[in-house]
Amino acid sequence: MTYPHILTTAIPQNDKLLAYGFTQSGGNLVLEKDIAEGEFYVRITLSEKDLSAEVFESGTDEKYVLFDVASAHGAFVAQIRNEVRQVIDDILEKCFDSGDIKGKYVDFLHEQFGAAGDNPWEDDADSTVYRCPNGKWFALVMRIKFKNLGFASEEPVWAVNLKAADAESVVDGKSIFPAYHMNKKYWITVLLSAVTDFERLCELTEESFNLVRGKKGHV
């Protein structure tokens, strides 16, 4: 099972990973840890682009294939998945820089543009619109799920929708994506995560502000 979305929000700290118990293997970092009271073990592999987990039976080293089958249900496979997730969460907490930059970004919006932000949707308290002086919005800060960006994860993440002069050219699939719930030709979604280059985010926001401010008609 892979967790590629993790590397879009968290930065691995190699010294901490090695101290935690990871070892170098073929250019990757690998950790094996017992689960299910030692009857199974999980192998966590961290590459440059992905973090993955495989589960094996301790006595035979045979792969527990149901762990990877999304349609597989039952108390035992759920227990295994839960224990693996606990291992991954512990690694994230102790070995990754995963703080979001939402607060810092909102401060930037206030200071740079004098934009207070408002919420036009009564049923969505996590979405805030920031407007140009003409009343049209240039930034939408929102809390969405990774699955909305094409990942197989229900986990939430803070992001912002921005207008771009050439949206396709700035998408990198790591912290900048085709816009969620908007015209992907003209808008992008940028994660407000530790992985995101804050200076680049500010540049894209200023571009969005100028595009919206100078555009006639509806945004």
Side-chain angles (χ1 to χ4, degrees):
M1 185 174 292
T2 62
Y3 306 84
H5 67 281
I6 287 176
L7 298 184
T8 69
T9 59
I11 303 173
Q13 308 295 306
N14 279 18
D15 55 338
K16 293 182 179 180
L17 289 163
L18 293 172
Y20 189 91
F22 279 82
T23 58
Q24 295 278 357
S25 177
N28 299 325
L29 288 173
V30 178
L31 172 76
E32 292 185 356
K33 192 173 182 66
D34 288 342
I35 58 173
E37 298 183 344
E39 294 185 11
F40 291 78
Y41 65 91
V42 58
R43 178 181 296 154
I44 308 290
T45 302
L46 176 63
S47 69
E48 183 178 345
K49 297 183 178 180
D50 200 4
L51 185 147
S52 62
E54 299 172 288
V55 173
F56 301 86
E57 294 186 30
S58 297
T60 63
D61 289 330
E62 290 186 8
K63 189 172 182 179
Y64 181 58
V65 295
L66 289 182
F67 174 73
D68 296 310
V69 179
S71 60
H73 300 289
F76 185 70
V77 69
Q79 174 194 335
I80 292 295
R81 287 172 178 159
N82 183 58
E83 290 194 32
V84 170
R85 186 67 225 198
Q86 289 177 2
V87 172
I88 292 175
D89 286 345
D90 191 57
I91 293 169
L92 285 173
E93 179 182 351
K94 296 177 179 177
C95 306
F96 281 70
D97 177 3
S98 57
D100 68 58
I101 58 173
K102 174 180 177 276
K104 182 180 179 181
Y105 181 64
V106 169
D107 288 343
F108 165 76
L109 293 174
H110 292 169
E111 295 169 6
Q112 183 71 15
F113 307 103
D118 64 88
N119 189 328
W121 303 288
E122 294 181 0
D123 61 343
D124 186 2
D126 287 332
S127 294
T128 304
V129 164
Y130 294 87
R131 303 179 186 274
C132 293
N134 60 14
K136 298 169 185 173
W137 61 270
F138 66 95
L140 167 60
V141 173
M142 57 192 174
R143 199 165 188 247
I144 60 176
K145 294 182 178 180
F146 276 105
K147 72 175 184 179
N148 299 133
L149 300 175
F151 294 98
S153 173
E154 294 284 339
E155 293 183 43
V157 61
W158 285 105
V160 59
N161 274 1
L162 300 169
K163 197 163 192 179
D166 186 0
E168 185 176 346
S169 70
V170 299
V171 168
D172 60 17
K174 185 175 182 180
S175 61
I176 307 174
F177 297 85
Y180 165 63
H181 219 271
M182 293 193 67
N183 189 320
K184 294 173 173 52
K185 184 177 180 180
Y186 302 109
W187 293 84
I188 56 175
T189 293
V190 186
L191 299 183
L192 301 179
S193 73
V195 173
T196 302
D197 183 325
F198 191 75
E199 290 187 7
R200 179 61 172 151
L201 171 61
C202 293
E203 291 173 357
L204 291 170
T205 304
E206 290 176 352
E207 179 182 87
S208 180
F209 180 87
N210 289 329
L211 286 170
V212 174
R213 180 179 59 177
K215 179 76 173 178
K216 294 183 179 181
H218 295 290
V219 176

